[in-house]
Amino acid sequence: MAENEKGTIVGFAAGGKERSGAYLEYDGELYAIYLLEEVQGQGIGKALVKQVAQSLLDRGYHSMLVLVLAENSARYFYETLGAVQIHTELETIAGERYEEVVYGWKSIKRLNEK
């Protein structure tokens, strides 16, 4: 979690084992990341991704992927952190079909060196 100077939570991230089993080169996954709009662009998201990556490293994972809706312009954030687009998938949410982009880091150790 990320807090502001008043102790209010302004963001969070979560990760763990890659859930689908479809991406054999990736053992970890960034499940979720969220930041309040007013704190975006301040480096908090990058710090949260790095925390998840470090937690995965500490548990023996070496790589990580994340799935992002293609319509989400914030998806390019992952590219700035060195993630590479590895696949696209179709996901059904509330009866609607959406394209998801799968990004991956083959080495999360390198992510934490940036």
Short mmCIF file of all heavy atoms in Angstrom, two decimals, residues 33-34 40 67-79 98-101 103:
data_model
loop_
_atom_site.label_atom_id
_atom_site.label_comp_id
_atom_site.label_asym_id
_atom_site.label_seq_id
_atom_site.Cartn_x
_atom_site.Cartn_y
_atom_site.Cartn_z
N ILE A 33 -3.11 -3.20 -9.49
CA ILE A 33 -2.47 -1.98 -9.02
C ILE A 33 -3.49 -0.86 -9.20
O ILE A 33 -4.20 -0.81 -10.22
CB ILE A 33 -1.15 -1.67 -9.77
CG1 ILE A 33 -0.49 -0.41 -9.18
CG2 ILE A 33 -1.35 -1.59 -11.25
CD1 ILE A 33 0.93 -0.18 -9.67
N TYR A 34 -3.58 -0.01 -8.21
CA TYR A 34 -4.53 1.10 -8.26
C TYR A 34 -3.93 2.30 -7.55
O TYR A 34 -3.36 2.16 -6.47
CB TYR A 34 -5.86 0.73 -7.59
CG TYR A 34 -6.83 1.87 -7.60
CD1 TYR A 34 -7.56 2.18 -8.74
CD2 TYR A 34 -6.97 2.70 -6.49
CE1 TYR A 34 -8.42 3.26 -8.77
CE2 TYR A 34 -7.82 3.78 -6.50
CZ TYR A 34 -8.56 4.05 -7.64
OH TYR A 34 -9.39 5.13 -7.67
N GLN A 40 -1.22 10.08 -9.38
CA GLN A 40 -0.59 9.45 -10.53
C GLN A 40 0.48 10.37 -11.11
O GLN A 40 0.37 11.59 -11.04
CB GLN A 40 -1.65 9.11 -11.58
CG GLN A 40 -2.60 8.04 -11.11
CD GLN A 40 -3.71 7.74 -12.08
OE1 GLN A 40 -3.73 8.20 -13.21
NE2 GLN A 40 -4.68 6.94 -11.63
N LEU A 67 -1.87 -8.33 -16.83
CA LEU A 67 -2.89 -8.21 -17.87
C LEU A 67 -3.60 -6.86 -17.70
O LEU A 67 -3.98 -6.50 -16.59
CB LEU A 67 -3.92 -9.33 -17.76
CG LEU A 67 -3.45 -10.70 -18.25
CD1 LEU A 67 -2.54 -11.37 -17.25
CD2 LEU A 67 -4.63 -11.58 -18.56
N VAL A 68 -3.74 -6.14 -18.81
CA VAL A 68 -4.31 -4.79 -18.78
C VAL A 68 -5.31 -4.66 -19.91
O VAL A 68 -5.04 -5.11 -21.03
CB VAL A 68 -3.19 -3.73 -18.97
CG1 VAL A 68 -3.73 -2.33 -18.78
CG2 VAL A 68 -2.01 -4.00 -18.06
N LEU A 69 -6.44 -4.03 -19.65
CA LEU A 69 -7.39 -3.78 -20.72
C LEU A 69 -6.73 -2.94 -21.81
O LEU A 69 -6.07 -1.93 -21.51
CB LEU A 69 -8.63 -3.07 -20.20
CG LEU A 69 -9.55 -3.91 -19.31
CD1 LEU A 69 -10.68 -3.05 -18.75
CD2 LEU A 69 -10.12 -5.10 -20.08
N ALA A 70 -6.89 -3.34 -23.06
CA ALA A 70 -6.27 -2.62 -24.17
C ALA A 70 -6.74 -1.17 -24.24
O ALA A 70 -5.99 -0.29 -24.66
CB ALA A 70 -6.57 -3.33 -25.49
N GLU A 71 -7.97 -0.91 -23.83
CA GLU A 71 -8.52 0.45 -23.86
C GLU A 71 -7.94 1.35 -22.77
O GLU A 71 -8.14 2.56 -22.81
CB GLU A 71 -10.03 0.40 -23.70
CG GLU A 71 -10.75 -0.30 -24.82
CD GLU A 71 -12.25 -0.41 -24.55
OE1 GLU A 71 -12.74 0.11 -23.54
OE2 GLU A 71 -12.92 -1.02 -25.40
N ASN A 72 -7.23 0.79 -21.83
CA ASN A 72 -6.68 1.55 -20.70
C ASN A 72 -5.38 2.23 -21.15
O ASN A 72 -4.36 1.58 -21.32
CB ASN A 72 -6.43 0.62 -19.53
CG ASN A 72 -5.95 1.33 -18.29
OD1 ASN A 72 -5.57 2.49 -18.32
ND2 ASN A 72 -5.95 0.61 -17.18
N SER A 73 -5.42 3.55 -21.31
CA SER A 73 -4.23 4.27 -21.76
C SER A 73 -3.09 4.17 -20.75
O SER A 73 -1.92 4.35 -21.12
CB SER A 73 -4.56 5.73 -22.05
OG SER A 73 -5.00 6.38 -20.87
N ALA A 74 -3.39 3.86 -19.52
CA ALA A 74 -2.35 3.72 -18.50
C ALA A 74 -1.50 2.46 -18.72
O ALA A 74 -0.47 2.29 -18.08
CB ALA A 74 -2.97 3.69 -17.11
N ARG A 75 -1.90 1.63 -19.68
CA ARG A 75 -1.13 0.40 -19.91
C ARG A 75 0.29 0.69 -20.37
O ARG A 75 1.19 -0.11 -20.16
CB ARG A 75 -1.84 -0.51 -20.90
CG ARG A 75 -1.86 -0.03 -22.32
CD ARG A 75 -2.73 -0.98 -23.17
NE ARG A 75 -2.87 -0.55 -24.53
CZ ARG A 75 -2.19 -1.10 -25.54
NH1 ARG A 75 -1.33 -2.05 -25.32
NH2 ARG A 75 -2.38 -0.66 -26.76
N TYR A 76 0.51 1.83 -20.97
CA TYR A 76 1.85 2.18 -21.44
C TYR A 76 2.82 2.41 -20.29
O TYR A 76 4.03 2.38 -20.47
CB TYR A 76 1.79 3.38 -22.38
CG TYR A 76 0.93 3.07 -23.59
CD1 TYR A 76 -0.34 3.63 -23.73
CD2 TYR A 76 1.36 2.18 -24.57
CE1 TYR A 76 -1.15 3.32 -24.82
CE2 TYR A 76 0.56 1.86 -25.66
CZ TYR A 76 -0.69 2.43 -25.78
OH TYR A 76 -1.49 2.11 -26.85
N PHE A 77 2.27 2.61 -19.10
CA PHE A 77 3.08 2.71 -17.88
C PHE A 77 3.99 1.50 -17.75
O PHE A 77 5.16 1.63 -17.38
CB PHE A 77 2.12 2.84 -16.69
CG PHE A 77 2.71 2.51 -15.35
CD1 PHE A 77 3.57 3.40 -14.73
CD2 PHE A 77 2.39 1.34 -14.70
CE1 PHE A 77 4.11 3.11 -13.48
CE2 PHE A 77 2.90 1.04 -13.45
CZ PHE A 77 3.77 1.93 -12.85
N TYR A 78 3.47 0.32 -18.05
CA TYR A 78 4.26 -0.90 -17.92
C TYR A 78 5.42 -0.93 -18.91
O TYR A 78 6.50 -1.43 -18.58
CB TYR A 78 3.37 -2.14 -18.07
CG TYR A 78 2.27 -2.15 -17.04
CD1 TYR A 78 0.96 -1.87 -17.40
CD2 TYR A 78 2.55 -2.39 -15.70
CE1 TYR A 78 -0.05 -1.85 -16.45
CE2 TYR A 78 1.55 -2.37 -14.75
CZ TYR A 78 0.25 -2.09 -15.13
OH TYR A 78 -0.74 -2.06 -14.18
N GLU A 79 5.19 -0.38 -20.10
CA GLU A 79 6.28 -0.30 -21.07
C GLU A 79 7.39 0.60 -20.57
O GLU A 79 8.57 0.31 -20.80
CB GLU A 79 5.74 0.19 -22.41
CG GLU A 79 4.81 -0.81 -23.08
CD GLU A 79 4.23 -0.31 -24.38
OE1 GLU A 79 4.74 0.69 -24.94
OE2 GLU A 79 3.26 -0.93 -24.87
N TYR A 98 -13.88 -7.79 -23.99
CA TYR A 98 -12.82 -6.79 -23.96
C TYR A 98 -11.50 -7.45 -24.32
O TYR A 98 -11.25 -8.60 -23.97
CB TYR A 98 -12.69 -6.17 -22.56
CG TYR A 98 -13.90 -5.39 -22.13
CD1 TYR A 98 -14.90 -6.01 -21.39
CD2 TYR A 98 -14.04 -4.05 -22.45
CE1 TYR A 98 -16.02 -5.28 -20.97
CE2 TYR A 98 -15.14 -3.32 -22.04
CZ TYR A 98 -16.12 -3.96 -21.30
OH TYR A 98 -17.22 -3.24 -20.91
N GLU A 99 -10.65 -6.68 -24.99
CA GLU A 99 -9.31 -7.15 -25.28
C GLU A 99 -8.39 -6.77 -24.13
O GLU A 99 -8.42 -5.64 -23.64
CB GLU A 99 -8.79 -6.52 -26.58
CG GLU A 99 -7.41 -7.04 -26.95
CD GLU A 99 -6.88 -6.45 -28.25
OE1 GLU A 99 -7.26 -5.31 -28.57
OE2 GLU A 99 -6.09 -7.12 -28.91
N GLU A 100 -7.60 -7.75 -23.69
CA GLU A 100 -6.59 -7.51 -22.67
C GLU A 100 -5.21 -7.69 -23.30
O GLU A 100 -5.00 -8.58 -24.11
CB GLU A 100 -6.71 -8.49 -21.50
CG GLU A 100 -7.84 -8.20 -20.58
CD GLU A 100 -7.82 -9.11 -19.36
OE1 GLU A 100 -7.68 -10.34 -19.53
OE2 GLU A 100 -7.95 -8.59 -18.26
N VAL A 101 -4.28 -6.85 -22.89
CA VAL A 101 -2.90 -6.96 -23.34
C VAL A 101 -2.12 -7.60 -22.20
O VAL A 101 -2.26 -7.21 -21.04
CB VAL A 101 -2.31 -5.57 -23.67
CG1 VAL A 101 -0.86 -5.69 -24.10
CG2 VAL A 101 -3.15 -4.90 -24.75
N TYR A 103 1.45 -8.12 -20.65
CA TYR A 103 2.82 -7.61 -20.62
C TYR A 103 3.64 -8.49 -19.70
O TYR A 103 3.11 -9.06 -18.73
CB TYR A 103 2.85 -6.19 -20.05
CG TYR A 103 2.38 -5.12 -20.99
CD1 TYR A 103 1.10 -4.59 -20.88
CD2 TYR A 103 3.21 -4.62 -21.99
CE1 TYR A 103 0.66 -3.59 -21.73
CE2 TYR A 103 2.78 -3.63 -22.85
CZ TYR A 103 1.50 -3.11 -22.71
OH TYR A 103 1.07 -2.12 -23.57
#
